Every structure is written in C-alpha cells, then in structure tokens.
Amino acid sequence: MEETDRKILALLAQDGRMSFTDLGRATGLSTSAVHQRVKRLEQRRVIKGYGATVDYEQLGQPLTAFISIRPIDPSQPDDSPERLRGIGEIESCWSVAGEESYILKVRTATPAELENLLARVRAAANVSTRTTIVLTTFYENRTVS
C-alpha cells in the first residue's frame, strides 16, 4: 500500500468526517485525487465504514468486560456467534485460538446487569464463561500509523 493511502487512512481514522478538501491539504493532493483514492480504498474494503466514538459512561453503560466462552459440549455445532447475535450488550465477538473459542466485548451499566448478561450468554449458546472486568481504559481504537 502506498504511503499516501496510509496517510489518508490515518487521517480518516482520527476524524472520519474529514472533508476531501482537508485530506487533500494534509496529503498534498487535489480534492479530486483524494476522493478517488478514498473511493478505491472503500471498494477494496480497506475502509469498511465510518463511525462515531461513543462515550459509554454518558450512555449509562460504564462497565466494560471481556467474556471468554467455550462450549460445554465440544461436539456441539460451532454456532455461538449466531446464537448470541441478538444480545445488544455484546459489542464485539472474536474467534480466538487457545482454551476458549470466542471472546466477547460487552458493556453494561452495573455488575448486576453483567451477571444477568452472563446468565443469558450461557443459556443462549450453551457455553461456559470466564470474565475479565475492565477497570481503566488508557486507549482504545488506536489510529493507523
């Protein structure tokens, strides 16, 4: 990937609403050239989308946790992501190597809500869980360098 495309990605990762004009100024390209490069990056799915950085404390969900799951019965179908898709507190789901099969990033308002969520996850996917609660987030969603 060209250095100019990497710079465009880094700028958009910092501010997904940056205008093509401002991207052009920052990269030394014309607005039209930047527009073409961004469209190409989108078409190649290097840029998958644009989003807002949310302050979950202000949304009433200050508790972040990671839940590692593994099937109670290893012979059961590997369909946990589908079984858990409708649970709104789950922000992310990653397939991982190791003892667990998946790691879920979740957000809730209170420890009691997390406990309730754990029960729903176990019941929906027939899994055992191991939970890590986040105390402090120093950085998250770091930009491309």
Side-chain angles (χ1 to χ4, degrees), residues 1 4-13 15-16 18 20 23 34-51 144:
M1 178 175 294
T4 303
D5 286 343
R6 287 189 183 279
K7 185 161 187 170
I8 290 170
L9 289 172
L11 290 165
L12 287 174
D15 179 3
M18 186 176 251
F20 293 132
L23 284 168
V34 167
H35 183 262
Q36 289 174 347
R37 282 178 179 263
V38 169
K39 289 298 173 200
R40 229 181 1 254
L41 290 166
E42 290 171 346
Q43 289 168 347
R44 290 176 34 212
R45 303 277 299 146
V46 175
I47 297 174
K48 292 183 175 185
Y50 301 88
V144 179

Side-chain angles (χ1 to χ4, degrees), residues 116-138:
N116 176 277
L117 173 62
L118 288 167
R120 288 187 290 137
V121 165
R122 290 181 192 124
N126 194 32
V127 293
S128 64
T129 62
R130 185 172 55 90
T131 304
T132 302
I133 295 174
V134 175
L135 299 176
T136 303
T137 302
F138 294 100

